[in-house]
Amino acid sequence: PGDKAFAQFLTDEIQEEKKIQKHKSLPKVSGGWELDVHGTEAKLVRKIAGEKITVTFNINNSIPPSAEEDTQEQQKPDEQEPELTSTPNFVVEVIKDDTKQTLVLDCHFPEDEIGHEGEEESDIFTIREVSFQPTGEADWKDTNYTLNTDSLDWALYDHLMDFLADRGVDNTFADELIELSTALEHQEYIKFLEDLKSFVKCQ
């Protein structure tokens, strides 16, 4: 009987989630990015003169924990749950056609930056680490020097941010990435509930 109740609960839950699902298909990212999705991992690719830029992210563990804690405390019984937003870390790779090296920039969304409207000047994402990796190799080497931006000269950091912006990775892109990631996360969550329901019902 427990499993039957569980399956019924999942059926209702799936219906509710589908009702609030914002995107039936994944939203596009403007600027000529091509999207490739494998399960929870998404890759965006863009080619410009002599360069290929890829942005990779995974939606697992991409919803900040603070959002979940707040909902429990403040929610009144009949209130809508606040929308959960997926803000994954993402890796930008810049490959130049005539070099054997790829510039890799590890970026993330700082938790306190999300949702502050009106601060036009501030960037909504930050670069955490920068390194060179051999182009075309699946396994990156820990022996390659990795630049941590915590102690970085701000002028160099600004140039790195401009370097990304010139290649289409700017605040607009980051906003659209959050939108895409949130839609993908929700889609995968519904799929997980459906798989769980089939599994529970399986005799």
Side-chain angles (χ1 to χ4, degrees), residues 11 49 53 62 81 91 117 124 132 169 178:
T11 304
I53 298 103
S62 64
E81 283 188 27
V91 175
E117 294 298 319
I124 58 173
F132 279 111
V169 180
I178 290 174

Side-chain angles (χ1 to χ4, degrees), residues 49-78:
E51 291 183 12
K52 177 177 158 187
I53 298 103
T54 69
V55 177
T56 316
F57 65 90
N58 194 315
I59 51 128
N60 280 336
N61 304 316
S62 64
I63 292 187
S66 56
E68 289 161 23
E69 284 158 26
D70 293 350
T71 58
Q72 252 102 60
E73 287 165 28
Q74 298 164 0
Q75 207 176 323
K76 299 182 178 66
D78 55 350

Side-chain angles (χ1 to χ4, degrees), residues 45-144:
V45 181
R46 181 175 190 247
K47 292 190 170 92
I48 54 174
E51 291 183 12
K52 177 177 158 187
I53 298 103
T54 69
V55 177
T56 316
F57 65 90
N58 194 315
I59 51 128
N60 280 336
N61 304 316
S62 64
I63 292 187
S66 56
E68 289 161 23
E69 284 158 26
D70 293 350
T71 58
Q72 252 102 60
E73 287 165 28
Q74 298 164 0
Q75 207 176 323
K76 299 182 178 66
D78 55 350
E79 259 185 32
Q80 270 291 160
E81 283 188 27
E83 271 184 42
L84 295 178
T85 305
S86 163
T87 51
N89 297 341
F90 61 97
V91 175
V92 183
E93 295 169 58
V94 181
I95 303 159
K96 295 207 178 205
D97 291 350
D98 50 0
T99 67
K100 294 186 170 60
Q101 286 185 313
T102 298
L103 184 65
V104 178
L105 301 103
D106 199 339
C107 304
H108 76 136
F109 294 99
E111 283 178 27
D112 54 354
E113 289 295 322
I114 306 304
H116 292 317
E117 294 298 319
E119 293 180 20
E120 283 303 299
E121 291 306 304
S122 71
D123 293 302
I124 58 173
F125 70 94
T126 59
I127 302 169
R128 207 162 25 187
E129 291 181 347
V130 187
S131 67
F132 279 111
Q133 296 295 344
T135 301
E137 286 193 24
D139 295 326
W140 288 344
K141 295 176 167 51
D142 286 340
T143 49
N144 286 9

